[in-house]
Amino acid sequence: AQKVTQAQTEISVVEKEDVTLDCVYETRDTTYYLFWYKQPPSGELVFLIRRNSFDEQNEISGRYSWNFQKSTSSFNFTITASQVVDSAVYFCALSNAGGTSYGKLTFGQGTILTVHP
Amino acid sequence: DSGVTQTPKHLITATGQRVTLRCSPRSGDLSVYWYQQSLDQGLQFLIQYYNGEERAKGNILERFSAQQFPDLHSELNLSSLELGDSALYFCASSSIGLAGNEQFFGPGTRLTVL
């Protein structure tokens, strides 16, 4: 069985602060994929990044960066110089490649990020 | 805009009733997923279809059913509704429905059962 844990329920920061959202996953598969999605107040789910289990390179996209560490089963997300528009719920998700998963996503509980001006 | 459409956007109904939620996937995507988002359960996978065939089932209640039609749109039917079925229901689509395929989510249908 797979599981995703986002231990931080809510985080509150002031604009321009850096913030890291933690994600820890559990899976028995050796091939799997990790995702981050953003859910702004409007409610839709927006894809941010996908990582496969064989690629542990960190990724940076503008103010966003992701740190994938298989040794600790973690896939953390950092926002540098946060902005008010970053306020949203952020979800980490896991998709196993094996068995009958067929790409279904297992989501963490989400982290509510509030960025104050 | 993800390209996935869902109707209706909001639905208010009474306990015991039946409703149908509709989803049109992105052009070219063959696979459709349904997810339920509620305060107590979080985001949970319900069911997946690929090119008209059911492919994977998650925590979907027996009162719920779904299908994918030849034109690839999908419908999620919820019957004998209970208060606890109130939630945001998302449809997502992906190209071939395998692990690693990016899933594009629709705007969701917010169901309120009174």
Side-chain angles (χ1 to χ4, degrees):
Chain A
Q2 56 259 34
K3 187 179 176 183
V4 177
T5 302
Q6 294 179 253
Q8 304 149 309
T9 306
E10 287 192 57
I11 299 176
S12 183
V13 299
V14 177
E15 220 173 8
K16 295 185 184 162
E17 278 186 40
D18 298 347
V19 57
T20 295
L21 310 181
D22 297 334
C23 171
V24 172
Y25 62 92
E26 293 175 33
T27 179
R28 291 184 188 146
D29 283 358
T30 54
T31 303
Y32 52 88
Y33 297 83
L34 295 162
F35 300 79
W36 276 94
Y37 281 85
K38 173 182 180 180
Q39 187 176 36
S42 51
E44 75 274 20
L45 280 164
V46 179
F47 167 82
L48 294 178
I49 190 172
R50 172 189 51 223
R51 223 62 191 141
N52 74 55
S53 53
F54 298 108
D55 184 0
E56 283 194 74
Q57 279 192 334
N58 290 334
E59 177 137 350
I60 298 175
S61 176
R63 297 184 298 106
Y64 295 171
S65 62
W66 291 269
N67 182 293
F68 175 29
Q69 290 197 331
K70 280 178 82 168
S71 60
T72 55
S73 297
S74 65
F75 186 43
N76 297 335
F77 173 29
T78 297
I79 302 174
T80 304
S82 59
Q83 299 176 1
V84 172
V85 293
D86 295 326
S87 297
V89 184
Y90 290 86
F91 291 95
C92 181
L94 166 69
S95 174
N96 284 326
T100 56
S101 298
Y102 293 114
K104 72 172 188 183
L105 294 172
T106 298
F107 285 91
Q109 286 300 102
T111 296
I112 302 170
L113 174 65
T114 304
V115 182
H116 299 281
Chain B
D1 186 346
S2 67
V4 178
T5 60
Q6 287 186 251
T7 55
K9 196 164 186 180
H10 300 278
L11 200 47
I12 301 175
T13 189
T15 54
Q17 295 297 305
R18 172 190 168 96
V19 296
T20 297
L21 313 184
R22 184 188 166 104
C23 166
S24 291
R26 286 189 328 153
S27 176
D29 283 356
L30 298 177
S31 191
V32 167
Y33 301 78
W34 286 97
Y35 293 88
Q36 179 196 58
Q37 184 177 28
S38 62
L39 280 175
D40 52 345
Q41 299 288 334
L43 258 168
Q44 289 210 319
F45 167 72
L46 295 177
I47 198 163
Q48 179 201 4
Y49 281 83
Y50 173 75
N51 206 20
E53 301 282 328
E54 181 186 303
R55 185 173 255 184
K57 230 171 180 175
N59 298 324
I60 187 166
L61 299 170
E62 281 192 19
R63 301 183 284 109
F64 295 1
S65 64
Q67 54 184 327
Q68 186 180 27
F69 295 87
D71 68 351
L72 301 178
H73 91 270
S74 178
E75 292 181 356
L76 178 67
N77 301 297
L78 316 176
S79 61
S80 303
L81 285 168
E82 302 174 0
L83 295 178
D85 298 327
S86 295
L88 188 52
Y89 291 85
F90 284 107
C91 167
S93 74
S94 72
S95 53
I96 57 174
L98 294 177
N101 286 168
E102 180 183 339
Q103 292 182 28
F104 296 87
F105 282 78
T109 293
R110 184 167 295 281
L111 174 65
T112 303
V113 183
L114 300 175

